[in-house]
Amino acid sequence: MARKCIVKVVLSKEQKDILCELARRLGTSESEMLRTALMDYAKDLSMVKETVHRERKLYA
C-alpha cells in the first residue's frame, strides 16, 4: 500500500466552521472531507483523467 503524506492546511475560522459542519452532516472526518473535496475538484478540471493517461504512458 502506498505511503500517505501529511499536508498542513491553514483555514479561516469561517472555513473551519464549514468544514466541521460538512464533516458532521456526512458522518466523516475533516481529513476525509478535504480529500473528497480535492478529488471532486480535480475531476471537474479533468486532472484525474490526465494523470492516469500520463502514468500509463510512463509505464507502457
Side-chain angles (χ1 to χ4, degrees):
M1 183 172 184
R3 187 172 164 200
K4 294 185 178 183
C5 299
I6 297 173
V7 177
K8 288 186 176 185
V9 178
V10 178
L11 302 174
S12 68
K13 183 187 179 321
E14 293 80 12
Q15 291 169 328
K16 172 68 170 155
D17 292 343
I18 291 169
L19 176 62
C20 289
E21 182 62 19
L22 282 172
R24 186 190 66 77
R25 287 185 187 189
L26 295 174
T28 188
S29 68
E30 293 172 11
S31 293
E32 183 61 29
M33 190 69 250
L34 287 171
R35 281 191 294 272
T36 301
L38 173 67
M39 293 310 295
D40 286 348
Y41 187 59
K43 284 180 199 174
D44 286 348
L45 297 176
S46 299
M47 291 181 71
V48 174
K49 195 182 301 183
E50 291 171 15
T51 302
V52 169
H53 289 298
R54 191 177 325 124
E55 287 181 8
R56 283 186 182 162
K57 286 181 182 177
L58 290 175
Y59 295 111

